[in-house]
Amino acid sequence: MYPHAVSSILLARSGKAAIRGRLLPTAARRLYSSVTENDNVEPIRGLDLGVAHSKLLLRTVSAVRSNSELRTLGVAEGETRKMNMCQAVNDAMRHALTTDETSVVFGEDVAFGGVFRCSVGLADDFGRERIFNTPLTEQGIAGFAIGLASMGHTAIAEIQFADYIFPAFDQIVNEAAKYRYRSGNQFNVGGLTIRTPCSAVGHGGHYHSQSPEAFFAHVPGLKVLMPRSPVQAKGLLLAAIRDPNPTIVFEPKILYRSAVEQVPVDEYELPLSKAEVLKTGKDVTVVGYGSQIYALENAIQMIERDMPGVTCELIDLRTILPYDAETVAESVNKTGRLVVAHEAPRTQGFAAELAAEIQERCFLRLESPIQRVCGLFIPHPLVYERFYMPCAVRTYEAIKNSLSY
């Protein structure tokens, strides 16, 4: 691991001097850090990290059968198929195209399956009049999608990477989000859904790793969501496509192949604007969304191992706008503590909005300051991505700080 980089981070944390290329003395630095490659150090100690070992995924048919949300939707007892998140997204679009003749899918390279293969096979099955490529112009994609939706079609547009959604920002924010309002509800673009791969993947650098959800969470008239798994991706995407409001679906691309579940074959829609309590607990509430959920799961496992008797409540927000403050507040009123995490930078990030809202709702019940575990306030780095990421160890530290306040 890069010695000068480690030294710089330890220097920033300790406030003590360090010589380039030399680590600080052990007594002057933390005994554990997110910068290490050794999985046997504190507090990891051999714990299997990441989505591949997650207990949150519905890997078996019996897990699907026992899932309360899927049972409520009436699909838990039906046929399931093993899918990764990419296949689940494809399946959701396939259902939408089958049941709605006005629906079309378009974007850069989607006709041959897209760079992540999420639309593979759709052009063969539904025709190139409904599944087609666009020029490399994000502003044009969004503008065309708005026009199509305004004429009553269901427009499912793909922005190839969330990092490149910014040329379309004006179209989304000033046109799509305001279309219904400025016409006095005479016209709308509720049939518009924009899909876009987002977040870190390990080698994307500053142009293929960003999480720009907070930019759009500031805009009335939009819905914004980010799924964590194949089951969630299918149900949330179908709900987004059929919701009567323009919706942006941010899909963590690192989960396209790594997250695998038994997914109900029948169509179903998961509720938008409703968080899911993934694990109940009594001492601290931990909230996240998207791929960050798995880092939070690992942090909770380490805390509950190292602090016997402590239990943590884990909540997947799922929808970022509008978000389910009621479920989070109910949990914090019980636990008295809150830790919020996301990959996007901490400054002006969505965690700040959630922290402010919960502080207003739960002030007299809070036992410690609300903790935020987020990306650093720098462009998303390439070789130093591990320093940037709000990993399980950084979350572990935040939970400990909250519990020991």
Side-chain angles (χ1 to χ4, degrees):
M1 179 52 62
Y2 319 95
H4 60 283
V6 178
S7 297
S8 298
I9 284 190
L10 294 173
L11 171 61
R13 287 184 171 182
S14 68
K16 297 184 182 294
I19 300 173
R20 181 179 176 89
R22 287 179 53 194
L23 292 177
L24 295 172
T26 301
R29 59 186 171 89
R30 296 182 186 272
L31 294 179
Y32 53 86
S33 169
S34 58
V35 304
T36 182
E37 289 180 325
N38 185 353
D39 289 342
N40 292 313
V41 301
E42 295 288 351
I44 299 173
R45 296 209 305 273
L47 183 71
D48 291 325
L49 302 180
V51 64
H53 306 284
S54 176
K55 296 178 174 60
L56 301 175
L57 295 176
L58 306 180
R59 300 180 190 276
T60 63
V61 174
S62 61
V64 174
R65 300 279 189 266
S66 61
N67 183 272
S68 60
E69 190 168 52
L70 295 179
R71 291 182 67 85
T72 301
L73 294 172
V75 294
E77 298 298 326
E79 181 186 355
T80 67
R81 186 181 305 135
K82 187 178 181 180
M83 300 183 194
N84 58 32
M85 201 166 96
C86 175
Q87 293 166 322
V89 167
N90 182 286
D91 197 45
M93 291 191 289
R94 189 173 293 276
H95 279 293
L97 290 160
T98 301
T99 58
D100 179 2
E101 293 183 353
T102 73
S103 60
V104 293
V105 175
F106 53 92
E108 297 161 14
D109 304 319
V110 301
F112 75 83
V115 294
F116 292 104
R117 315 304 290 161
C118 287
S119 56
V120 68
L122 296 183
D124 294 334
D125 294 341
F126 297 97
R128 295 189 178 273
E129 294 80 13
R130 298 179 66 191
I131 317 295
F132 52 88
N133 294 332
T134 66
L136 201 161
T137 167
E138 287 78 15
Q139 184 179 25
I141 293 170
F144 176 75
I146 291 167
L148 202 61
S150 72
M151 298 304 295
H153 287 267
T154 298
I156 307 170
E158 178 183 299
I159 301 294
Q160 197 167 87
F161 287 90
D163 313 62
Y164 298 115
I165 202 170
F166 298 113
F169 196 79
D170 175 64
Q171 288 289 326
I172 297 169
V173 171
N174 276 334
E175 304 300 335
K178 298 174 175 61
Y179 210 94
R180 189 192 307 271
Y181 178 82
R182 70 176 185 169
S183 70
N185 201 30
Q186 294 184 68
F187 310 101
N188 69 81
V189 291
L192 169 62
T193 300
I194 296 175
R195 296 179 39 253
T196 184
C198 70
S199 304
V201 71
H203 52 263
H206 52 286
Y207 285 143
H208 298 84
S209 304
Q210 296 176 76
S211 298
E213 67 274 5
F215 288 94
F216 299 96
H218 189 66
V219 182
L222 297 177
K223 290 192 175 182
V224 181
L225 53 128
M226 189 183 297
R228 70 172 187 272
S229 72
V231 168
Q232 296 291 310
K234 178 177 177 178
L236 290 173
L237 179 55
L238 263 176
I241 292 170
R242 292 168 177 169
D243 190 88
N245 297 280
T247 305
I248 305 177
V249 183
F250 289 100
E251 299 166 1
K253 54 186 172 290
I254 197 170
L255 300 180
Y256 276 152
R257 301 295 188 275
S258 61
V260 180
E261 290 183 304
Q262 290 289 334
V263 179
V265 171
D266 294 335
E267 67 171 61
Y268 60 94
E269 298 176 31
L270 293 175
L272 303 183
S273 309
K274 180 63 178 175
E276 182 180 9
V277 179
L278 299 175
K279 177 186 176 301
T280 58
K282 61 179 176 58
D283 297 297
V284 59
T285 301
V286 183
V287 179
Y289 49 83
S291 54
Q292 187 63 29
I293 287 294
Y294 303 104
L296 304 186
E297 178 191 22
N298 293 146
I300 288 171
Q301 291 169 340
M302 293 186 284
I303 283 288
E304 293 182 351
R305 176 199 63 197
D306 295 348
M307 304 178 72
V310 168
T311 58
C312 306
E313 188 143 298
L314 177 60
I315 298 177
D316 179 4
L317 212 53
R318 300 199 291 193
T319 306
I320 299 158
L321 181 70
Y323 64 95
D324 185 1
E326 289 74 19
T327 293
V328 179
E330 180 181 353
S331 176
V332 174
N333 279 328
K334 174 180 65 174
T335 65
R337 299 175 178 86
L338 174 62
V339 176
V340 191
H342 56 60
E343 278 189 28
R346 171 187 169 99
T347 304
Q348 307 295 330
F350 185 75
E353 159 64 25
L354 184 58
E357 181 69 22
I358 298 305
Q359 183 268 343
E360 290 181 5
R361 293 183 181 223
C362 308
F363 181 74
L364 296 178
R365 301 300 296 269
L366 286 171
E367 299 288 346
S368 66
I370 296 172
Q371 302 282 314
R372 289 178 290 160
V373 188
C374 309
L376 303 181
F377 191 57
I378 59 172
H380 197 107
L382 180 59
V383 295
Y384 297 132
E385 183 176 284
R386 67 173 58 245
F387 302 112
Y388 172 92
M389 293 293 290
C391 63
V393 174
R394 284 177 57 195
T395 307
Y396 173 92
E397 293 178 356
I399 296 173
K400 280 187 67 175
N401 289 340
S402 181
L403 290 167
S404 61
Y405 179 79

